[in-house]
Amino acid sequence: MKTLTAFILFSLSALPAFAAEPPVAIDLIKSAIDNYRGLNSYSEASMTIHRKEWQRVVEMKVWTQDLDKSLVRVTAPKKDKDAGTLLIGDDMWSYAPKINRIIKIPGSMSNQSWMGSDFSNNDIARADDIIDQYTHRIINTSTENNKKIYTIESVPHEDAPVVWGKEILRVNEDFVFLEHQFYDQDNQLVKTLIASEIKLIDGKYISLRQRMTKTDNKEEWTEFHTSTIKFNIEFSSNTFTLSNLRNPR
Amino acid sequence: MQSFPLISALAWRNLWRNKRRTSVILFAMILGIWAMIVTAAFMRGMAIQALDDTIENLTGHIQIHHKKYLDDPVIENSFSISDATLIASLQHPDIIQWSRRIRVPAIISSERDTRGLVLVGIDPQSEAEMSFLNSAMSEGQYFQSPDDKGIIIGKKLAENLETRLGKRVVVMSQDLNNEIADRGFRITGIYDTPTEGMETGFLFMTLTTAEKLLNVTDVNSEITIISRSLEHTNAVLKSLKDKNPDLDIQAWDTLQPFVKLIEEMYTDFQYIWHLIVFMAMSFGIINTLLMTIFERTREFGLFQALGLKPRFILAQVWMEAVFMLIIALLIGNFISWLTVLSTGEGIDVSAFAQGMEMAQLSNIIPFIIVRDDLFLANFIVILLGLLTSLYPAWRASQLVPANAITRV
Amino acid sequence: MNTSWRFAWRNIWRHPRRTVLTILAIAFGAALLVFSIGFQLGQYDLMIKGSVSIYQGLIQVQKEGYLDEPKMRSSINNIQSLAQSLREKTQVTSIAARANGFALVSSNKRSYGTLIAGVEPKYEKMVSIIPDTIREGTYLSSDSAHEVIIGKSLASNMQIKLGDELTFMGSGRDGSIAATILPVTGIYESGSKELDRNLLQMPLKTFQETFAMGSHGHAIVFYHDDVKQDLVFKQQIKQALSSHKELVTLSWDQVQPGLKQMIELDYSSGWFMYVVLIAIITFSILNTFLMSVLERTREFGIMLALGYKPFNIGKLVMLEAFILTLFALSIGTLIGLLINLYFAAYGLTFDGMEEIAQMYNMPSTLYPQISFESTLIGPLVIFVFTLISALYPAMKIRKLQPVEAMRKI
């Protein structure tokens, strides 16, 4: 599953603790998704890109609606203030305030890194119906700190446009994902997204910090840290438009 | 002349009177002939291989494209095959095989890496005899049917992507609406060619698979044609161009001009080289013959005193040269043939791999003896050999008997 | 010693015709080799020059590691002042600083991911032919102008004309968003498809500003017409930069190994043929040497009987061969050299030159290289071969028995 959507998805968790019956994997995931169909959110977060010799922190505001619309606007550092990315469905536009232009990111650039991070444009952009392109099943259930934790294995379908051999998610009963692992087709772990700082906000359990690390290079990682988040916001109809991307209100 | 057998017999015996001397000059001649034939075979091998490679490596004899395709090889610049004129013109009797392709830029990703390359959608059957793919497979298999869903990539590409036969990769390209078209495909075959560029620059799938991925039908980037022979190509080219003025139709020599160049230069070079080698040999031949004569001055003088015509002496000396030439040619040709045989597939120049890549040649150069080349080498040797040995032979016949006999 | 030389000289000319033929053979070989090698090396020079003058330059200075992994951050600090100090230290002005990047470039109609180079227009003209290949418009006017030039193929694929604006978006050196809009002020056609389709150039300072480079850049490109001296220049530059441990100096073949290998292959196959040729000539004249020894068996027998050591007779024979060869080689080398000098002045062309020349960006006239290497190496090898072959007859002398020898006719 595409990463940003994944943690936007899983960090905004909702459902109350499960009833006694063990859930079916895809239902689990789908319910989690269904739960957000009508969910809008506004959050303020910072993204830290860490490398062996340097580190960069980008602060941003994020608006999301349904699961296929999101708007990201950079608030710091000063140089990149008001730069932004708009996603609608599979399309992605980028705004560069320095030149006051909006550019649609073509497919050929989809593997380029998004804002210099370890996420590619593709990771950020792809909508979620890709979940249907996997087969999911629960492979383990355990208990930690009195919460049930489900380990789900998601295997992409034969011709799904996914390079991974499989992905393993650990989700707890509050629908907070704890970990998302990406395995290659030889079952080697390539990268891992780990969630932490789980809090209860507006009646939902959310992870406020997610870090993506690479197995073969511990010095390089990207971390998202959400400082503020609100749910069920009313957005005006032109929030997710190109003009809004360009001109913040 | 009736004395021919006599002359020959004498010539032959004289030849072997001084075994060492004859052997040394024979060695020089054999070496020369060997050099001519073997280097000719090497250069011919290079030229033929470059040509074959070009034709096999997707170029074919003739290619048809949309007029804008070669400058901008995207999916929009394709043409339809349902045009009756086009189909009719492809029925030309000298066209042995033709094949449609979709050929667009794409991006291939594995778990570890992403590369840009060219996606080639082919019709497995018609393509099988035309291009290198079918016979270059090193793992897995060639497409079994037009609906085969797998893809075939080059060995080096698989290495670069850190993936293998049987694994899935994601291929992404753009459809006619500029929308992303991407899908996962299993690698069902891996091919190995001597040119690295061929291994990393392409990925192959069936036309049907490509059409599904790109959501198109009857869209062709190119049609490749194999004509009956290189010589027939021009006529076929003309006919196609006349009937299809809206399409860009070109033959291999304009599509890949470098190859033709090698061939042309080679032919010129060959003549010069043969001449040079022969000149080098000729000094030795003349000198040796002259020495022979010098030694046998008394003998020749005696012959003449006994009444033999100068013509006879000329013929005899000349005959010695002729015998030497024949022996050298026989042995030289034989050894050349052995040499070429022993090189098998050809010599491996992969130490110069990157250089060969630049020259668009592969790393294994075969030695190929072509009848015309062989004929040329032998012809030059015989002709020039006969001519140059005329001088010493003539000298011999000019000896004045009295002087000759009294010489020591 | 003098007597031996005179003796040898006289012996050589005992049979003038034979000697002349031998000299001709050796001289022919020498002249041929001098001519041939001169042209081969001259051709290589032209090929190298043609190739490096397009864009790559003769020598490049980069941060260590940049060649294998061209990251934005793998950069050279204060690149322009470093380039200037190099110009002063080496007394060569054709040195240009560059910065390289990758960005999404959009016109009204299309977007492409392309390579962008930030250049110093004044100096770039001296290291690359691209500024000379502008077909429309003009080249960049200054270090900080708001201009960009684009290759012809790319311009037509993006459907833009002179004056149209291009939007650039990429990642800066510090990871920030790099964005700018620049008008197309020139369209070039370098002849290299790869460049024409992929490379845009903007002024260096403009690049540095857009991509947050500060005063950094990625490569200092050095060019000089005298490509043969590349290693000398490389040494010079290395020394000039000795305090900068993080930089490496790369010669053209390290940046683009293919060309050098092709040249090596060609040179090797050339030598294969030369050696064969020399062998043929050597065998051709071996007989001469043999003859001249064998026919003097009687003479040598007498000398032996008179007390001459066999070794000394052998030395005499070798001396003859030595003098003859040297004489012949001098003539041959001189002729070859004269021919080369002639063509060095007037050039040589033949059929098919035009096209090949185009491929390698070479002029269509060939000039031979006149140097010690090109002139002497062929004759030197002939010399060695000939003397070795002369050893054979010389050895035979040692086996001579005086009495037997004197009896020979």
Side-chain angles (χ1 to χ4, degrees), chain A residues 91 104 106-108 110-111 126 156-165 183-186 188-190, chain B residues 107 109-112 114 149 162-164 166-172 174 178-180 182-186:
Chain A
D91 296 330
K104 183 156 188 250
S108 53
S110 59
N111 278 302
R126 294 307 295 282
H157 291 161
E158 183 59 19
D159 49 4
V162 174
V163 293
W164 309 113
Y183 288 82
D184 70 9
Q185 292 169 55
D186 286 327
Q188 301 290 325
L189 182 61
V190 178
Chain B
I107 295 182
S109 315
S110 68
E111 307 97 317
R112 295 257 163 32
T114 302
K149 289 203 296 186
E162 294 182 59
T163 185
R164 291 191 314 270
K167 287 221 207 160
R168 178 183 55 241
V169 289
V170 174
V171 174
M172 165 160 48
Q174 279 179 306
N178 249 327
E179 301 283 321
I180 299 177
D182 63 350
R183 204 175 277 219
F185 295 94
R186 284 254 170 232

Side-chain angles (χ1 to χ4, degrees), chain B residues 192-296:
Chain B
D192 193 350
T193 65
T195 330
E196 200 173 282
M198 289 301 295
E199 282 182 24
T200 55
F202 300 97
L203 79 90
F204 294 90
M205 56 174 68
T206 63
L207 261 176
T208 321
T209 314
E211 284 174 346
K212 276 209 208 108
L213 170 68
L214 301 169
N215 213 5
V216 291
T217 45
D218 187 25
V219 141
N220 306 285
S221 306
E222 75 187 10
I223 289 185
T224 307
I225 294 166
I226 300 282
S227 60
R228 192 173 298 278
S229 76
L230 274 181
E231 287 72 34
H232 286 93
T233 303
N234 274 330
V236 175
L237 181 67
K238 185 156 188 328
S239 146
L240 286 173
K241 279 173 94 146
D242 287 342
K243 301 207 182 106
N244 301 287
D246 296 329
L247 294 172
D248 176 325
I249 307 184
Q250 293 187 43
W252 62 274
D253 51 355
T254 46
L255 291 166
Q256 301 273 18
F258 188 69
V259 179
K260 183 140 208 221
L261 219 49
I262 293 186
E263 215 195 344
E264 278 169 4
M265 281 201 21
Y266 160 73
T267 321
D268 289 339
F269 176 79
Q270 213 195 351
Y271 282 111
I272 301 177
W273 170 244
H274 286 344
L275 276 174
I276 292 176
V277 170
F278 189 81
M279 277 184 76
M281 283 180 355
S282 62
F283 292 111
I285 298 175
I286 298 179
N287 237 356
T288 307
L289 286 173
L290 283 177
M291 287 195 288
T292 331
I293 296 159
F294 182 65
E295 260 178 17
R296 296 186 275 157

